[in-house]
Amino acid sequence: MNSKFSGTFPSYRPRRLRQFPALRRLVRETRLSAEQLVLPLFVRSGKKIRKPIDAMPGVFQLSIDQLIREAAIAFEAGVPAVLLFGIPDKKDAKASGAYAANGIVQQAVRSLKKELPDLLVITDVCLCEYMEHGHCGVVQRGRRGAKILNDPTLKLLARTAASHAEAGADIVAPSDMMDGRVRAIREELDKRGFADTPIMSYAAKFASAFYGPFREAAESTPKFGDRRSYQMDAANANEALREVALDIQEGADIVMIKPALAYLDLIYRVKTKFGYPTAAYNVSAEYSMVKAAAKNGWIDERAVQLETLLAMRRAGADILITYAAVDVARWLRE
Ligand SMILES: [Zn+2]
């Protein structure tokens, strides 16, 4: 900032505008609103099932009847959107549950759109929950170990996304980090009559220790190896910008940075450089750390959670995906 545009003491006293709550609110630069929140939900088969996730207090694997209940509570609280993850009964080497017309996510989408037509339903598009090995792509085992094949995976991802759109998903969100998947999904959606279905791509998704509690929730821990051959290295920011540029060129409508808290610099750079609708995924460990510290009486849960999300907004995020969405929406209403 040019110093010409900043006053000097004593004519300029920044504290003047901090004297009363109404004055502070008047000059507040960034606001949090329930309209920006997305609640991730985990759906599995069965009836009346609410299986708690140990490492994520307040988060459950839900059967469809319970999913609808939970989504209705969120919608009522002011949360406009949910992001669905499916836990199938059976896993195989082709992830067939991911694109089955009657797969768990496809059934859940149809039920949600029927019961809560105004709720935005976003679906996570990936194969890891449906693959017997837990990786996000097709695996080829060779002499030098297992390889995650890129191009054969694209067809399965495109098929999965189209099956979600067919079930009625409002937005599809590919999270696999294969190269070229946004283009493959866009082409398949267009071909099948879903040119109006937006893609929210997990554009810069990092191989992160902050996903630990999520893997228990989604039952998607890889059986061997790790995801570092497709998810990004935490050290790389320029590469993240190239990933986002690629996804935009391939047809992404919304780009996402995941995780969020330790990657605020990227939220800022992506928003500044591309000006696209930008989502921040406030991931499982970010949520669990706040819950654990609050349970111990070490922090004020509400104040820390709101400040964390506000920081993501200040960095440039338009959309906040958070497990705390319902509490946050209620706090904002009070
Ligand atoms: Zn995956």
Side-chain angles (χ1 to χ4, degrees), residues 60-103:
F60 303 83
Q61 290 182 354
L62 304 161
S63 52
I64 290 179
D65 54 308
Q66 297 297 307
L67 176 85
I68 288 166
R69 225 183 89 186
E70 206 77 6
I73 290 169
F75 191 64
E76 179 63 29
V79 178
V82 295
L83 173 59
L84 286 188
F85 294 89
I87 300 118
D89 288 332
K90 274 193 246 127
K91 300 174 189 255
D92 59 28
K94 298 180 298 182
S96 37
Y99 42 83
N102 233 358

Side-chain angles (χ1 to χ4, degrees), residues 126-129 136 175-176 205 227:
C126 201
L127 307 178
C128 47
E129 294 108 299
C136 303
S175 63
D176 50 282
K205 181 179 180 183
R227 296 197 168 98

